[in-house]
Amino acid sequence: MRFLLDAEQAEFGRTLGRMLAAADTPAAVRAWGAGDSAPGSAVWRRLAGAGVFGLAVPEKCGGAGFLPVDLIVSFVELGRYAVPGPVVETAVAAVLLERLGDTGGLADIWRPAIAAGDAMVSYADLARGPYALDAATADVTFLVDGDTLRASDGSGPVQPSVDPARRLARCPGGAVLASGPAVRAAAAQADDIARLLTAAQALGVGRRLLDDTVAYVKQRTQFGVAIGSFQAVKHRLADVLLALEFAEPLVYGAAVEVAGASQAGTADAADAAGVGIAMAKVAAGEAAYAAARAALQLHGALGYTDELDLSLWIRKARALRNAWGTPAECRARVLPSPVATTR
């Protein structure tokens, strides 16, 4: 199979990139980590105006329909510019509500708000842990607890995180929106979508780290020459490039599988797509992490300093590697256990 973005998708990505480049996202990230959500919310509204969140919302609710490949195009750019906030969780909440159908009318309220950028939504599956991302800032947090879906509009204190811009907090229980096996099934699909969008973000983070590091080694000199001319430096960066180049088709391929599974509407198709997503998450997460380590080493001690914008992406790469599925968890999804294969 030969897959290429069409002209409209490619231009969409370039337009988002230009918009985010002009938005001073590093300043928004720093403010977000310090508890000031105003600059990040301004970026959020511009993204919504460009139609990013509408890509996860059906047309009947003001969106463009569920378009996985277009979502990947946009989330790669969100990672490239380190956009703060529960971007993955907001998109996933829209998908979850669509999968569930009737949730007492609240779905019909929140999905148009998500598409329009009027609602910042967080989402957590408590089977993964007790914390929700940016619940203190979100308008509502959807919580899956076993086979129950609740809507919480509050949060506890923000907890320290490896990435200060990822503000984690526990949420109190809220109104029950739905319960039963359908919630668990919808949550399983929502987890896969969250993993896929996180992989796309990681890919964008890795690309940015590589670009910035290549630019740095071209201008940093030692012994009278640019350090980028040293063979050891070239090899280190080539390894990062290969890892990213390997991950990219897996991420887009998984999005194509998700689109096919959404049309098929069968559990088998969704499970097969989930395996592809797990492969993409491992590859993208590890590639971004390798890019972060290379960037840290080749920038020297500068990479550790908070003052350097590079640190924003380095810390994000580490967090995204484990968000919505650690490498070990994703590998277990891809590879059947030895016990299972011998039965």
Side-chain angles (χ1 to χ4, degrees):
M1 179 178 70
R2 185 169 182 266
F3 173 79
L4 288 172
L5 298 177
D6 63 31
E8 189 174 349
Q9 290 168 327
E11 180 55 29
F12 180 54
R14 288 191 291 269
T15 300
L16 279 181
R18 289 192 293 267
M19 185 186 79
L20 292 170
D24 192 11
T25 52
V29 174
R30 293 183 188 282
W32 193 276
D36 176 9
S37 62
S41 296
V43 175
W44 188 281
R45 287 190 292 273
R46 296 179 72 176
L47 290 172
V52 169
F53 300 112
L55 298 172
V57 176
E59 292 183 64
K60 65 184 180 183
C61 297
F66 179 50
L67 301 174
V69 175
D70 299 69
L71 277 170
I72 296 305
V73 171
S74 58
F75 273 74
V76 168
E77 294 304 316
L78 300 190
R80 194 189 301 273
Y81 290 94
V83 172
V87 287
V88 167
E89 289 71 19
T90 293
V92 169
V95 174
L96 175 75
L97 293 175
E98 174 66 14
R99 295 287 189 275
L100 280 175
D102 182 18
T103 52
L106 281 179
D108 293 335
I109 297 173
W110 286 109
R111 285 182 295 176
I114 289 172
D118 295 331
M120 184 181 291
V121 177
S122 189
Y123 164 70
D125 186 341
L126 297 184
R128 290 193 163 280
Y131 300 111
L133 178 66
D134 294 313
T137 307
D139 297 292
V140 66
T141 299
F142 292 104
L143 298 171
V144 171
D145 185 3
D147 60 358
T148 300
L149 174 66
R150 298 178 182 273
S152 174
D153 58 1
S155 74
V158 174
Q159 302 297 311
S161 169
V162 65
D163 176 4
R166 292 177 62 84
R167 296 166 59 79
L168 303 171
R170 293 175 182 266
C171 292
V176 175
L177 302 183
S179 61
V183 171
R184 195 66 256 160
Q189 293 184 28
D191 279 11
D192 280 340
I193 301 303
R195 192 173 289 172
L196 176 61
L197 299 184
T198 303
Q201 269 192 306
L203 188 60
V205 167
R207 290 287 187 189
R208 178 60 179 264
L209 286 166
L210 178 61
D211 290 347
D212 286 358
T213 305
V214 168
Y216 179 76
V217 300
K218 285 181 177 177
Q219 58 89 22
R220 172 81 165 86
T221 60
Q222 196 171 36
F223 310 120
V225 297
I227 63 172
S229 63
F230 300 147
Q231 197 78 345
V233 172
K234 291 179 180 178
H235 284 178
R236 187 75 195 269
L237 292 173
D239 287 342
V240 173
L241 176 62
L242 285 174
L244 291 168
E245 291 285 308
F246 179 74
E248 185 166 308
L250 292 177
V251 173
Y252 280 101
V256 172
E257 285 189 86
V258 169
S262 182
Q263 292 181 349
T266 64
D268 287 345
D271 188 60
V275 173
I277 289 170
M279 293 170 60
K281 178 64 167 52
V282 170
E286 297 290 36
Y289 192 52
R293 285 182 294 160
L296 187 61
Q297 180 189 28
L298 297 178
H299 279 79
L302 288 173
Y304 283 111
T305 58
D306 283 340
E307 291 78 7
L308 193 69
D309 285 346
L310 183 76
S311 65
L312 305 179
W313 278 270
I314 287 177
R315 286 180 291 198
K316 192 169 290 296
R318 185 176 176 188
L320 293 178
R321 181 173 179 248
N322 290 330
W324 293 106
T326 64
E329 183 182 348
C330 292
R331 288 190 176 98
R333 179 78 181 270
V334 175
L335 301 173
S337 70
V339 173
T341 55
T342 55
R343 285 177 178 171

